[in-house]
Amino acid sequence: MKVLKFGGTSVGSAQRMKDVVKLISDGAPKIVVLSAMSGTTNSLAEIADYLYKKNPDGANEVINRLLIKYLHLADELFAEEPYRTEAKKYVRSVFDYVRSMVKDMFTVYEERNILAQGELLSTNLVHLYLLASGVQSVLIPALDFMKTDKNGEPDTVFIKEKLNALLDELPEAELYITQGYICRNAYNEIDNLQRGGSDYTASLVGAAVQADEIQIWTDIDGMHNNDPRVVEHTEPVRRLNFDEAAELAYFGAKILHPTCILPAKLNNIPVRLLNTMQPEAPGTTISNETEKGKIKAVAAKDNITSIKIKSGRMLLATGFMRKVFETFEKFRTPIDVVTTSEVGVSVTIDNCRHLDDIIDDLKKYGTVTVDKDLTIICVVGDLEWDNVGFESRIIAALKDIPLRMISYGGSNYNVSLLIKASDKKKALQALSNHLFNNK
C-alpha cells in the first residue's frame, strides 16, 4: 500500500480537488492524507487572534468571508444536487461550530479546535466528491488514531495499533482519506503535530502500515538543487539520501520539514516528492541509498545571528564549552552552526527571542561579539572527507564573498558557510554556476 499526501495548494480550488481525485482513483488501495485548502489555516488563525483580543465582530467578519468561499467551492465541486446540498450542509455546520466559539471564554483549547477545521473541511469535501464519482472511499478520522504523548511526540505504538485496527474493519475500500496535521494529545484534547504538519502525518502513517512508498504532492516538481526563487537554471534532484534531504530541509529548502521524514527513514520507506500540476514529472526520490561522489544541492537559511565568545581562560581549560552550551540550553535556544579555536567559540542561532539574556549570561565567560543579518549557505551531497577536492570547489565558488564561518566534519553530507545576508543571491548563483551549471 502507498501513502499519498497532498498539500494546501494541491487542494486549493474545486478544480485542483478534481485533479487530485483523478490522480488517486486508479483502483489501487492507498491512504490519502490531505492538508487544509491553501489560505484556510491562516484565516482560522486570524479568527482565533480576534477572539483572543475579544473582538467578536472581527472574528465574525472573517468567519463570514470563509463561509462564502466554501459555499462557492461546493457549487463548483458538485454538479449533482444531493451531494451539493450535503456539502453545503456540512460546511455550514463547521462554521456554526466555529461561530459558537465567539460566545465562550477563549483559550488555547478553543484555538486548537478552530485550527483543526481546515483539514476536516478538505477531507470531508474530497471524500464526498469521491463518493459522487462512484469511488469506494472511506473517511478515517485522524483524531481516532493520531496521538501525541506527554512530551508532545507522536505515540507511535498507539498510532500503529489504532490505525491498523481501523483499516482491518474496512478491507473493501479503494481509498482511505484522512487529515494531516491534526491529532489528539496525551489528555485526549484536539491538538496538532506542529513540525512538518501533514508531511509528518504521512510519514507516521506510512511507518504504521509499513507502506511501500510515501508520496508528498506539492506544487513543485521535487527538491531543486538550489532555490528557484533566487537562482536561475535550477533543476530537480532526482535522488537524495534521507540525511541529505534532512540537511537541505533544515537549512532552507521549504518543500519538506526536516523532522517529518524520520519515521520513513527508520522504517526504510522511500519518500517521493511530486508535483500535482505536473503529475508526469519524476520528482525526487528520498531513500537510505547514497549516490557516491556527488554534490547534490544548495540551500540557504536566513535571519541568522552569530555569537562569538572569546576568552584567554579557555586555553587548556576544561568546562568552558559546557558552560557556553548550557547557556543556550537554559534559554531553550537551538544552535545551528558551531566553530571553535584555541581561545573562543562561534555559534549561530535563528531565534533571537532571548538574545539579550544569552549575551548577558555569556559575558561571565569571555568577551561577546554579536553579528546580525546573516545567512547560512548549506552545500549537501556525499561529502566524506576522503572525497578529494569537493571542499576546494565550494570555497573556489565563493572566492569573492567574505565568509564569517565555515563548518565541516559534523556531518558526512554537509558543508555550512556563514555569509552576509546581502551576499546571499550572489553566493547561491555562484555555487550553482560552479557546481552544477559548469559555467
Side-chain angles (χ1 to χ4, degrees):
M1 182 179 286
K2 293 180 180 180
V3 175
L4 282 65
K5 173 263 176 179
F6 291 89
T9 54
S10 297
V11 291
S13 68
Q15 185 56 53
R16 288 188 176 177
M17 285 184 176
K18 292 176 182 179
D19 292 340
V20 165
V21 166
K22 287 179 185 176
L23 279 171
I24 63 180
S25 303
D26 59 2
K30 55 181 72 68
I31 301 174
V32 179
V33 178
L34 299 181
S35 299
M37 258 182 85
S38 55
T40 297
T41 302
N42 288 340
S43 294
L44 293 171
E46 187 180 2
I47 293 167
D49 190 46
Y50 276 122
L51 294 178
Y52 272 126
K53 292 179 169 64
K54 302 188 185 304
N55 182 352
D57 292 340
N60 275 316
E61 187 173 329
V62 181
I63 290 169
N64 291 337
R65 188 166 68 236
L66 204 54
L67 170 60
I68 291 169
K69 175 182 176 179
Y70 272 92
L71 291 175
H72 286 163
L73 175 74
D75 283 330
E76 294 175 26
L77 192 58
F78 296 97
E80 298 179 18
E81 188 54 44
Y83 291 102
R84 182 187 298 175
T85 300
E86 188 174 346
K88 287 186 172 183
K89 181 181 178 182
Y90 174 73
V91 166
R92 287 193 176 95
S93 72
V94 168
F95 287 101
D96 285 344
Y97 174 69
V98 174
R99 208 183 301 276
S100 72
M101 303 281 185
V102 175
K103 301 174 184 177
D104 296 333
M105 182 177 71
F106 198 75
T107 68
V108 67
Y109 173 80
E110 283 77 23
E111 179 186 22
R112 289 169 181 163
N113 276 265
I114 285 178
L115 292 179
Q117 301 310 308
E119 279 72 20
L120 294 172
L121 279 162
S122 63
T123 49
N124 275 274
L125 290 171
V126 170
H127 168 60
L128 193 58
Y129 183 75
L130 283 162
L131 295 180
S133 304
V135 179
Q136 286 186 301
S137 167
V138 175
L139 192 63
I140 48 172
L143 298 178
D144 287 353
F145 67 86
M146 190 61 62
K147 192 173 185 180
T148 55
D149 60 23
K150 291 183 179 179
N151 297 315
E153 295 297 328
D155 186 338
T156 54
V157 174
F158 179 94
I159 294 167
K160 183 175 182 178
E161 178 184 322
K162 292 296 182 182
L163 177 56
N164 282 289
L166 287 170
L167 297 179
D168 288 343
E169 291 174 7
L170 304 158
E172 74 288 348
E174 287 181 30
L175 294 173
Y176 302 94
I177 309 295
T178 194
Q179 299 85 22
Y181 178 62
I182 65 175
C183 65
R184 291 192 185 275
N185 59 27
Y187 309 100
N188 213 36
E189 300 167 338
I190 292 178
D191 209 328
N192 56 69
L193 294 172
Q194 298 179 12
R195 299 167 303 177
S198 298
D199 291 349
Y200 206 6
T201 300
S203 189
L204 289 164
V205 167
V209 301
Q210 286 296 299
D212 300 315
E213 182 177 86
I214 298 166
Q215 297 179 0
I216 308 293
W217 290 81
T218 64
D219 57 355
I220 188 169
D221 53 338
M223 193 173 284
H224 279 229
N225 60 6
N226 211 323
D227 189 340
R229 298 166 299 180
V230 178
V231 175
E232 298 176 350
H233 309 301
T234 67
E235 295 180 352
V237 182
R238 295 307 176 203
R239 294 170 60 193
L240 283 171
N241 176 278
F242 277 117
D243 292 320
E244 293 170 339
E247 296 276 10
L248 288 170
Y250 183 77
F251 285 106
K254 301 297 184 185
I255 192 172
L256 200 64
H257 193 279
T259 60
C260 75
I261 53 176
L262 182 60
K265 175 188 175 182
L266 295 177
N267 288 273
N268 199 30
I269 302 169
V271 175
R272 292 183 68 201
L273 309 180
L274 297 162
N275 186 355
T276 316
M277 290 35 149
Q278 292 181 273
E280 71 285 351
T284 300
T285 299
I286 307 170
S287 69
N288 280 316
E289 297 180 6
T290 300
E291 285 188 286
K292 294 294 184 182
K294 285 190 178 182
I295 294 178
K296 293 295 190 66
V298 178
K301 189 175 186 179
D302 298 321
N303 302 313
I304 301 298
T305 297
S306 77
I307 305 170
K308 179 168 70 175
I309 310 99
K310 181 180 177 183
S311 173
R313 288 178 292 170
M314 180 183 174
L315 191 63
L316 301 178
T318 58
F320 177 85
M321 296 287 282
R322 173 179 55 81
K323 292 172 184 175
V324 167
F325 288 114
E326 281 179 348
T327 296
F328 291 93
E329 182 181 0
K330 180 166 69 174
F331 294 106
R332 301 182 67 82
T333 301
I335 292 171
D336 290 318
V337 177
V338 181
T339 60
T340 64
S341 71
E342 288 291 337
V343 293
V345 57
S346 288
V347 303
T348 68
I349 60 173
D350 62 2
N351 182 349
C352 292
R353 182 179 175 187
H354 300 293
L355 181 60
D356 291 340
D357 293 326
I358 290 169
I359 293 169
D360 190 57
D361 214 47
L362 291 174
K363 283 180 177 178
K364 300 173 187 175
Y365 313 121
T367 305
V368 180
T369 306
V370 177
D371 293 313
K372 296 184 178 181
D373 299 320
L374 302 171
T375 292
I376 296 172
I377 301 290
C378 168
V379 182
V380 163
D382 175 30
L383 297 170
E384 292 272 6
W385 68 275
D386 53 358
N387 286 335
V388 177
F390 277 14
E391 298 78 16
S392 64
R393 288 172 60 195
I394 295 166
I395 300 301
L398 302 176
K399 60 184 176 62
D400 297 323
I401 295 171
L403 303 178
R404 168 66 180 80
M405 290 169 61
I406 303 172
S407 177
Y408 171 60
S411 162
N412 291 330
Y413 300 99
N414 171 27
V415 175
S416 295
L417 309 108
L418 187 65
I419 63 171
K420 296 175 185 175
S422 57
D423 288 328
K424 171 185 170 180
K425 182 174 182 178
K426 181 180 178 182
L428 290 178
Q429 190 66 62
L431 285 164
S432 265
N433 292 343
H434 205 79
L435 301 177
F436 309 127
N437 299 338
N438 298 316
K439 292 184 179 178

